[in-house]
Amino acid sequence: MTSLRNLEYEQLWLNAHTDTRAAVYTFSSCITLADLNADGDFKLIVADLGTGSTNVKLKVYKGTSLHSETALLDVPTGVVSFYMDFSEPRMPAIAVASGSNIYIYKNMRPYFKFSLPSMDVNPLEKDLWMQVREEQIEVGVLMELLNNLRLEIGFAQLSTQSQHLLAQDPTTVPSFVQQYCKVPIKRQTVVTCVTTLKKALADEKAVSCLVVGTESGEILVLDPEAFTILEKIKLCHQESSTLIVPAVLSAFGLHAVEFRIVAACRDGSLRLARRGWTESKLLVQLPAQPVAMTVSPENASITIALMNQTLQCFSKKGKLQWVVTLPAAACALCPIPLPHQSTTLVAVSLNGGLLQLYNGRQLVDVIKAPQSVSGLVFGKFGQEENALIMFTVDGSLLVKILKRTAHFNLQGGSTSANVVPGVAQQIKLQIPKKTRLFLDQTMRERDNCVMMHRTFQRDLFQLRVDVARACVQALQSCNNPISLEGAEPVKLSAQVLGLGPLFKMVITLQNISASTLIQDIGILFHFDDKMYSMEKPFIKVPILLPGVEYPYETMIRNISELALSDQIRVMVVREGQTQPVLAAIINMPVCDLLGMV
Amino acid sequence: MGLFDKLVTLFGLRKQEVKVLVVGLNNSGKTTVLNHFKSEDDKSTEIVPTVGFNIEKFKNQNVGFTALDMSGQGRYRDLWEFYYKDCQGIIFVVDSSDRLRLAVVRHELDLLLQHPDVSSRALPILFLANKMDQRDALSSVKIASGLGLDRILDKPWHICASNAITGEGLEEGVTWFTQQVRQVGQPGNRPNRTGPLASGKNN
Ligand SMILES: Nc1nc2c(ncn2[C@@H]2O[C@H](COP(=O)(O)OP(=O)(O)OP(=O)(O)O)[C@@H](O)[C@H]2O)c(=O)[nH]1
Ligand SMILES: [Mg+2]
């Protein structure tokens, strides 16, 4: 099936580099790409877990060659690069989380160590250890009482020292107690995952805060310069005693403005924390434990690979969007942004060495690796913008580069048979992709909105002025009771009869041409409707024969309560012509007040 | 220069103008190479990544070159093909220390060679394996085999290692190149053109 499929995909990737002897054993969370020397040559920084206890190293690759390596004291859980400050040249710092510390490297030299704050030790436990020290109780009693305490408050609430003691072989217990009863007992948590969050500006090289997930079920946001805890978010409710430990974190937004942190937790819950929250909110309980996660920066939708061989997507509110069943267990996942196709693919590496690239839930490409890929990152490497870096479980390093001409077939109609169908929201609407032109225009509109609005307003007013002028001109240009020019040589005379408030107006039209007939004209009265009401404001005129006088009558009532008079404009208009043929102004007589009463 | 050459030049019989296209990935050193050929007062001291392209003029062995210094950044590389038609030779600059992107160079070269405006003509191509001073630079032989240059049978091509900052290796390359374009561009069989942009736009 897969080999068949492979044939369908044209080769979109270039094999840039393969090093089967790299002997780097790592995971996606321990790989990062950064412009370490601020020279535009992006380095690959990877924490090599070695055997899990020895050979733990932080390695830097410059292009295809190993540039430097630094020994690490403990097994790392995460490596991120971030800008700590605004100093020039803009060199990013590297943060390596391991144990309860975060080691910061600048210019690949140790710069700072941040230790997670120690936690309160149970007073009873403290007391017990003190009593042992002062030889008030036996070691056996200590063991027994600690065991009781464990049952009461849970193993996780004990100090590291007590935890170790309880895990000791009975033969080594006395010597262990001997050794450790003198040191003050401490309870410290460890870092489970780490990510970054832009502090106040969104640009690529803006200063970022570290976001740290801990074994004690908390998310800490650290200030990048002072390393103070800016934000502390509990993952579980205060009352409940079960710990919810974050396994994968994803943060986006700006710390100073608004941010969201999505945590996929070890208990299979997907949780959200936002600015100002002290506790996280459950988004959804996943059907299985998370493997890897990515959150789309555009619509905040969450794509997550689970241990039940599925890839699932949730809306930012935690609503299930789609589920794709994977042919094998997922090992790693990374987003592949494609700005020229205005989409972001998700690459999922599977057990066995297959890599599948999804656009939404549609499979668009398949890459084969010789072994399962445990560490997968896409981004800028060296001078190359679109490099896919893969570390396999047997320690090889593979680099593939997306061809410049690569075009993923995103509209490919056939959806995979594995997709869970049925939900109405899963129907894929054929919404055309936004074009580059559209995006550019949107950007331009956003940047110059004030100017554009002003220009528009100015043009609108200009248009109105022009219209008003043209109108006035049209009305004035033919203020003449006799029209000689054009096809309508007409003469108009008007007469007002009566004392008011009811008047009779008689309009007489005469065709003064020698032989032409005049048709399709009418008489229009223009007046103030607060002053007068008119029986027939428009009179349609039949054919005018030359020489004959045609009288037309209409009644006018003065409805004004004041004894005022106004002008009435009479226009002879032709159908389908904006300019009147001729026009006249009639000064209405003042109406006789006596008649009104 | 021989007496005959001098006479020929004096009478303006062989005043040749040649248009060359300078391509290669970004950061390979194209602008730096061209900067080397410019006269002392035209030389720019600071070289920044090219945007779009620049037009540079220089002389070598009595041939006037109009060089189109193309930008090698991914988003500008699709501009290259518009100028294939109008050039009489191509200088392809390769950063020999950028082993990671050798596959990308090969891909771009394939696209270039397959283009109808190039595949149909015997355009001379000069490959410069630049940045030979870098510690991890590949030799010109390795570059030639990495790019599969032996596949090019219908065009004169030449590769030489260079250092665009000191100018090392550039003379050799450009001497070869000048000879090639001279042969191709003898008066009479050279089509008449107006400006570097004119035919790119009209055709
Ligand atoms: N060591 C060394 N550095 C070089 C050499 N040639 C160029 N450079 C450096 O490489 C960098 C890039 O050179 P450019 O000439 O701007 O490269 P380009 O090919 O024009 O790049 P774009 O315009 O972006 O396509 C500059 O910092 C040069 O100083 C060389 O032979 N040796
Ligand atoms: Mg340049």
Side-chain angles (χ1 to χ4, degrees), chain B:
Chain B
M1 206 187 285
L3 179 65
F4 178 70
D5 271 354
K6 269 191 184 153
L7 282 174
V8 162
T9 327
L10 202 63
F11 292 111
L13 291 177
R14 208 197 272 164
K15 225 167 77 192
Q16 222 179 314
E17 281 295 325
V18 172
K19 270 171 217 124
V20 296
L21 193 62
V22 184
V23 295
L25 303 189
N26 54 315
N27 199 48
S28 55
K30 299 177 291 296
T31 309
T32 318
V33 166
L34 288 176
N35 197 44
H36 175 81
F37 291 119
K38 285 197 271 187
S39 64
E40 215 48 58
D41 9 306
D42 290 355
K43 272 196 184 28
S44 41
T45 46
E46 196 164 358
I47 287 167
V48 293
T50 311
V51 174
F53 64 86
N54 289 329
I55 297 171
E56 309 287 357
K57 288 197 182 207
F58 63 91
K59 266 198 157 199
N60 184 280
Q61 295 173 62
N62 204 34
V63 177
F65 285 95
T66 304
L68 242 62
D69 175 16
M70 305 303 294
S71 168
Q73 284 169 53
R75 58 178 169 282
Y76 294 119
R77 274 180 226 156
D78 38 9
L79 289 181
W80 296 0
E81 63 185 37
F82 294 104
Y83 304 97
Y84 292 161
K85 197 167 200 152
D86 195 37
C87 68
Q88 282 117 288
I90 294 175
I91 298 181
F92 201 111
V93 186
V94 182
D95 176 352
S96 44
S97 66
D98 191 356
R99 294 169 186 234
L100 187 68
R101 288 204 297 170
L102 200 60
V104 182
V105 178
R106 185 172 176 144
H107 180 231
E108 292 298 345
L109 178 64
D110 287 346
L111 291 177
L112 182 146
L113 293 173
Q114 283 157 17
H115 194 276
D117 291 343
V118 175
S119 63
S120 57
R121 299 161 63 196
L123 276 178
I125 308 181
L126 170 65
F127 292 91
L128 290 176
N130 196 31
K131 303 203 186 181
M132 63 187 223
D133 53 308
Q134 296 266 1
R135 195 163 47 89
D136 45 357
L138 291 167
S139 69
S140 56
V141 177
K142 284 235 174 80
I143 299 270
S145 72
L147 298 182
L149 297 187
D150 48 336
R151 295 170 300 158
I152 310 175
L153 303 172
D154 56 344
K155 296 181 195 13
W157 61 268
H158 183 76
I159 183 164
C160 55
S162 68
N163 177 348
I165 293 178
T166 59
E168 220 178 321
L170 291 182
E171 281 319 316
E172 177 202 330
V174 91
T175 306
W176 174 86
F177 194 69
T178 310
Q179 275 162 10
Q180 290 299 321
V181 289
R182 259 209 186 128
Q183 283 162 22
V184 179
Q186 287 299 331
N189 62 10
R190 194 160 55 91
N192 209 9
R193 288 175 220 269
T194 43
L197 289 174
S199 92
K201 269 189 191 155
N202 296 341
N203 302 327

Side-chain angles (χ1 to χ4, degrees), chain A residues 524-538 556-557 559 566-571 588:
Chain A
L524 182 73
F525 297 94
H526 182 246
F527 56 93
D528 186 347
D529 61 0
K530 292 193 191 75
M531 295 280 289
Y532 296 103
S533 87
M534 198 169 264
E535 178 201 6
K536 290 183 276 186
F538 179 75
I556 301 173
R557 181 180 285 277
I559 53 168
D566 197 5
Q567 295 182 331
I568 291 184
R569 213 179 252 274
V570 187
M571 286 175 268
M588 295 297 286

Side-chain angles (χ1 to χ4, degrees), chain A residues 36 45 57-58 70-73 79-82 84 91-98 102-113 227:
Chain A
L36 265 193
I45 300 110
K57 280 175 184 158
L58 187 63
T70 318
L72 291 176
L73 298 174
V79 175
V80 288
S81 73
F82 68 111
M84 288 175 69
M91 284 201 255
I94 301 295
V96 180
S98 69
I102 293 174
Y103 301 90
I104 311 292
Y105 293 82
K106 251 187 154 178
N107 212 355
M108 283 331 279
R109 272 184 230 115
Y111 174 76
F112 185 75
K113 179 176 113 175
F227 284 94

Side-chain angles (χ1 to χ4, degrees), chain A residues 218-463:
Chain A
E218 283 176 335
I219 296 174
L220 307 177
V221 179
L222 305 181
D223 183 83
E225 269 177 301
F227 284 94
T228 49
I229 296 172
L230 297 173
E231 220 87 38
K232 191 176 200 170
I233 301 153
K234 274 204 124 8
L235 281 173
C236 55
H237 290 292
Q238 218 77 50
E239 313 89 60
S240 79
S241 62
T242 47
L243 276 182
I244 296 173
V245 183
V248 193
L249 282 181
S250 187
F252 52 99
L254 296 177
H255 176 258
V257 187
E258 175 65 66
F259 64 85
R260 298 165 73 93
I261 300 174
V262 180
C265 303
R266 239 181 250 161
D267 68 338
S269 63
L270 198 60
R271 287 168 184 273
L272 174 71
R274 297 178 70 163
R275 185 182 158 78
W277 294 11
T278 52
E279 253 175 45
S280 72
K281 193 183 109 188
L282 178 72
L283 279 180
V284 67
Q285 188 69 37
L286 301 167
Q289 264 75 12
V291 178
M293 171 175 77
T294 172
V295 179
S296 148
E298 287 120 49
N299 56 7
S301 69
I302 304 154
T303 309
I304 184 161
L306 299 180
M307 292 197 190
N308 63 358
Q309 284 195 25
T310 58
L311 185 68
Q312 309 206 347
C313 178
F314 295 90
S315 73
K316 66 175 176 186
K317 299 220 170 83
K319 202 163 174 189
L320 182 67
Q321 305 286 301
W322 46 260
V323 179
V324 176
T325 307
L326 300 169
C331 302
L333 171 156
C334 81
I336 298 183
L338 296 176
H340 62 287
Q341 287 193 262
S342 38
T343 187
T344 299
L345 305 183
V346 173
V348 190
S349 94
L350 303 175
N351 200 6
L354 206 62
L355 252 78
Q356 294 195 326
L357 273 60
Y358 287 92
N359 176 47
R361 58 178 196 180
Q362 185 201 345
L363 184 66
V364 292
D365 195 15
V366 170
I367 300 173
K368 270 196 168 160
Q371 271 287 339
S372 307
V373 174
S374 59
L376 184 66
V377 173
F378 180 85
K380 197 162 179 195
F381 183 26
Q383 297 285 340
E384 180 54 52
E385 308 250 351
N386 302 311
L388 183 67
I389 289 133
M390 297 177 263
F391 283 99
T392 64
V393 287
D394 62 351
S396 339
L397 162 65
L398 295 111
V399 182
K400 285 186 186 275
I401 291 177
L402 187 64
K403 282 186 187 170
R404 174 169 67 83
T405 50
H407 193 88
F408 290 94
N409 181 14
L410 302 180
Q411 260 77 47
S414 66
T415 34
S416 164
N418 298 332
V419 174
V420 177
V423 190
Q425 66 180 13
Q426 291 187 2
I427 296 169
K428 209 171 168 198
L429 295 176
Q430 284 288 331
I431 299 166
K433 288 280 166 221
K434 291 186 189 111
T435 60
R436 178 92 224 142
L437 188 70
F438 176 82
L439 292 177
D440 286 350
Q441 179 63 16
T442 315
M443 287 296 283
R444 201 158 41 235
E445 281 175 6
R446 208 176 60 193
D447 294 344
N448 304 322
C449 54
V450 174
M451 208 183 74
M452 282 179 170
H453 180 71
R454 282 200 194 125
T455 313
F456 174 75
Q457 287 294 328
R458 203 199 59 215
D459 290 354
L460 184 64
F461 282 122
Q462 190 66 48
L463 184 69

Side-chain angles (χ1 to χ4, degrees), chain A residues 454-522:
Chain A
R454 282 200 194 125
T455 313
F456 174 75
Q457 287 294 328
R458 203 199 59 215
D459 290 354
L460 184 64
F461 282 122
Q462 190 66 48
L463 184 69
R464 284 185 182 152
V465 168
D466 287 349
V467 168
R469 275 206 192 116
C471 186
V472 166
Q473 215 212 337
L475 292 175
Q476 284 172 351
S477 64
C478 47
N479 239 342
N480 194 341
I482 301 175
S483 151
L484 291 172
E485 17 156 317
E488 287 87 25
V490 185
K491 189 180 130 196
L492 178 147
S493 55
Q495 218 180 346
V496 181
L497 307 171
L499 297 170
L502 195 63
F503 299 97
K504 180 188 254 182
M505 169 134 20
V506 182
I507 305 284
T508 313
L509 289 183
Q510 189 182 5
N511 180 347
I512 51 172
S513 74
S515 58
T516 39
L517 294 180
I518 294 177
Q519 47 190 339
D520 287 336
I521 61 170

